[in-house]
Amino acid sequence: MSNSAISETLDVLERRRRIRQLFGLGIVAVIMGAAYLGLEFIGFELSELLAQLPEEVEFVKSFFPPNFVDFTVYTSNNDITGLKAVSASFRNFGAPIIDSLTSDSSSLIRLSMVTVILGFTGTVLGFPLALVFGVLGSERVTPFPFNFIFRGVMSAIRAIPALVWILIYVPMAGISPVSAVLAISTDTIGNLGRLFTDELEEIDDGPIEAIRSTGASQPQVIGFGMLSQVSTSYVAWTLYILEINTRLAISLGVVGAGGIGQYIKLRQALFKYPKAAAGITMVFVIVISVELISSRIRARLRPGEHESKSLLDAIRDLANPNKWLGTNTGKK
C-alpha cells in the first residue's frame, strides 16, 4: 500500500473516531438535558434543599441512640432500654428471644420473623405458577405465537408493583400479612417466571435431541432434556427472588401489612424516633442475613459465577473497608 493510501486510511479512521466522540458527547448532552428538565418539572431546587439541611441533620440526630426496648417481650416489660436490651435478651441461653417468638405480643424479634416469613412464604407460593408459566412461555416448549399468551400474562403481572397488588387483594384479606403474602406470590410469578423463560431459551439442543431420539414423550423431553439443564439455575434465581421478596415484605409492612415495616412507620408517626431507629437497624440485620445465606447457597450452586468463600469470610468482609471501596480488587 502506498503512503498516500495509508494516509487516506488513517484520515478516514481519524474522522470516524471524531464522529464517534461527537456522537457520544451528544448522547451525554441529551441525557443531561433530559435530567435537568426532569428536575425542573418536579420542582427540584438545590438551594432550598441546602437551606433545609440543618433541620434534616437535627431530624437524623433524633433517631440516635436507637432504643431496643421492644427487642423482646422481656425487655419491654422490664423497661430495659438502649443496646442493653439486646444483651439482656440473650440471658438464660436466649430464653427471652424464644419466649418472644412464641408470644402473641409484638416485639422486634417477632416482627422480624414475620417479615422473613412473608418473603419466604410468598416466594414458595409463587414458585409453582412461576415454573409453569416460565416453562410454557418458552418457544422451545410452546410453539409460537401461543407461548406469548404466557409471556403476556407474566408481563402484565410484572407491570403492576406489589404495592398495588396488595391493594387489589384488599377485598379478600384487607391490608394484612395474608394480603402481603398474596401480593408477593403474585409478583413472584411474573418476575421469577420471566427469568425461568429466559434461562430455558439458552439451553443446548444436544440433550433435548438425545432424549427425543429415545422415543420419549413431550413431558419427558421437557423434564429430562430441558429442566435437567436449568435446575441449578432455577434454584439460584429463586434464591435471588427470595432476597428481593424479603425487602418487598418490609415495604409492604410500611403500608400496614405487618412486620418490621409497620413497626417503623407507627413509631415514626408517634415521634418515637429512637424506637424507629431500632426497627431500621433490624431491617439491616434481616436483609444482610438473608443475602449472606442466599449468596452462599448460590455460590455453591454456581461456583463459576460467584467468589468462593465461607460464610464466616463473607461476614468478616463486611468489616473490611477495602471490600466496600473496591480497592483490593484482584488481590488475594
Side-chain angles (χ1 to χ4, degrees):
M1 182 180 291
S2 63
N3 292 334
S4 61
I6 293 174
S7 298
E8 185 176 348
T9 302
L10 290 175
D11 290 341
V12 170
L13 293 175
E14 181 65 18
R15 281 198 299 273
R16 289 178 179 176
R17 186 181 67 82
R18 289 180 179 177
I19 290 173
R20 284 198 297 269
Q21 287 179 338
L22 290 174
F23 182 75
L25 290 174
I27 292 294
V28 172
V30 169
I31 293 174
M32 297 301 292
Y36 176 78
L37 292 176
L39 293 175
E40 283 279 313
F41 185 79
I42 63 172
F44 181 90
E45 291 289 345
L46 182 60
S47 58
E48 291 185 7
L49 291 178
L50 292 176
Q52 296 297 325
L53 189 58
E55 293 187 14
E56 177 65 23
V57 172
E58 290 300 319
F59 178 70
V60 173
K61 283 182 178 177
S62 65
F63 282 80
F64 293 94
N67 187 354
F68 288 89
V69 65
D70 296 329
F71 191 71
T72 58
V73 176
Y74 170 78
T75 56
S76 181
N77 291 339
N78 291 278
D79 197 27
I80 303 175
T81 60
L83 287 174
K84 290 181 180 177
V86 178
S87 57
S89 298
F90 286 92
R91 65 192 296 272
N92 295 332
F93 303 100
I97 293 177
I98 297 173
D99 292 340
S100 297
L101 292 175
T102 56
S103 172
D104 291 332
S105 301
S106 294
S107 63
L108 286 172
I109 285 292
R110 180 175 174 79
L111 294 173
S112 299
M113 183 184 70
V114 170
T115 299
V116 174
I117 289 175
L118 292 179
F120 176 76
T121 53
T123 306
V124 171
L125 291 179
F127 176 83
L129 282 178
L131 182 61
V132 171
F133 279 83
V135 171
L136 295 179
S138 171
E139 193 173 351
R140 290 174 177 270
V141 177
T142 307
F144 177 85
F146 300 105
N147 64 317
F148 273 92
I149 296 174
F150 303 98
R151 285 178 177 246
V153 172
M154 289 187 288
S155 296
I157 292 174
R158 291 166 58 232
I160 301 175
L163 285 170
V164 177
W165 277 114
I166 194 173
L167 300 178
I168 294 175
Y169 288 122
V170 164
M172 292 178 62
I175 300 291
S176 65
V178 175
S179 57
V181 167
L182 293 176
I184 293 172
S185 61
T186 305
D187 198 65
T188 299
I189 295 170
N191 290 324
L192 188 58
R194 184 52 191 270
L195 291 173
F196 285 171
T197 299
D198 292 343
E199 195 71 34
L200 208 55
E201 297 289 358
E202 298 176 359
I203 59 176
D204 295 330
D205 290 328
I208 300 174
E209 296 302 325
I211 296 293
R212 190 168 287 150
S213 66
T214 64
S217 62
Q218 182 65 6
Q220 290 174 324
V221 171
I222 295 172
F224 297 106
M226 298 181 182
L227 295 183
S228 61
Q229 295 188 57
V230 295
S231 58
T232 301
S233 297
Y234 274 22
V235 174
W237 281 124
T238 303
L239 290 169
Y240 173 69
I241 292 296
L242 174 62
E243 293 178 21
I244 295 176
N245 286 346
T246 302
R247 290 193 287 268
L248 200 56
I250 296 169
S251 302
L252 294 178
V254 173
V255 298
I260 199 70
Q262 187 171 11
Y263 176 90
I264 295 171
K265 180 189 176 185
L266 291 177
R267 296 307 177 278
Q268 187 166 357
L270 296 172
F271 304 105
K272 297 181 178 179
Y273 299 124
K275 288 186 177 181
I280 294 171
T281 304
M282 293 302 293
V283 168
F284 279 109
V285 174
I286 294 170
V287 172
I288 291 176
S289 299
V290 172
E291 286 192 358
L292 280 176
I293 296 172
S294 173
S295 63
R296 287 309 309 146
I297 297 175
R298 284 189 282 127
R300 294 293 182 186
L301 291 172
R302 298 194 293 193
E305 300 178 16
H306 299 270
E307 186 180 355
S308 179
K309 64 176 71 171
S310 68
L311 179 60
L312 289 177
D313 289 336
I315 296 174
R316 194 180 297 118
D317 283 344
L318 293 175
N320 184 355
N322 292 325
K323 285 288 182 181
W324 291 94
L325 297 174
T327 54
N328 62 343
T329 304
K331 296 180 180 180
K332 294 183 178 180

